[in-house]
Amino acid sequence: MNETLALVLSWLAGAALGAFFFGGLWWTVRKSLVSRQPAVWVFCSLLLRMGVTMTGFYWVAGANWQRLLACVIGFFMARHIVLRLTRSPEEILARKPQEARHAP
């Protein structure tokens, strides 16, 4: 039971790291579009996001590949959630399937 709890906590930590990484990427892109120095925003954001994420992976895994795997799965699940939450209304409308205008 203790190992299961560790894997669930690793998964949650991965989800938090993913939300931080991909949410920060989304925020950086939006901020850099209106900035006078977008390269500075992108570079500093990359250093911060990678530093926090890699430190988090190292700390969560702690020499256990199962916890690292659970963390990575949570990280990529957070990626899909952030992508879904940050879509623009135009993208949502463009992805809706078109209804057939005739009977089959």
Side-chain angles (χ1 to χ4, degrees):
M1 184 68 172
N2 197 12
E3 184 63 27
T4 304
L5 180 62
L7 291 176
V8 169
L9 291 175
S10 298
W11 176 75
L12 287 173
L17 289 170
F20 172 76
F21 186 88
F22 294 109
L25 176 62
W26 175 77
W27 182 80
T28 300
V29 170
R30 291 178 55 92
K31 187 73 172 173
S32 67
L33 289 174
V34 296
S35 175
R36 282 193 267 157
Q37 298 176 331
V40 173
W41 276 103
V42 172
F43 182 69
C44 291
S45 172
L46 174 69
L47 288 179
L48 177 68
R49 289 182 294 115
M50 288 295 290
V52 169
T53 302
M54 297 310 287
T55 302
F57 279 148
Y58 180 78
W59 184 75
V60 168
N64 186 330
W65 69 269
Q66 291 97 345
R67 285 189 288 176
L68 178 62
L69 181 62
C71 190
V72 169
I73 290 170
F75 184 82
F76 284 111
M77 288 177 72
R79 174 186 179 265
H80 290 290
I81 293 169
V82 169
L83 282 175
R84 184 170 294 262
L85 291 175
T86 58
R87 276 194 279 182
S88 66
E90 294 85 23
E91 290 177 11
I92 295 171
L93 291 176
R95 289 186 179 226
K96 285 189 178 179
Q98 297 293 328
E99 291 184 17
R101 296 183 185 256
H102 57 82

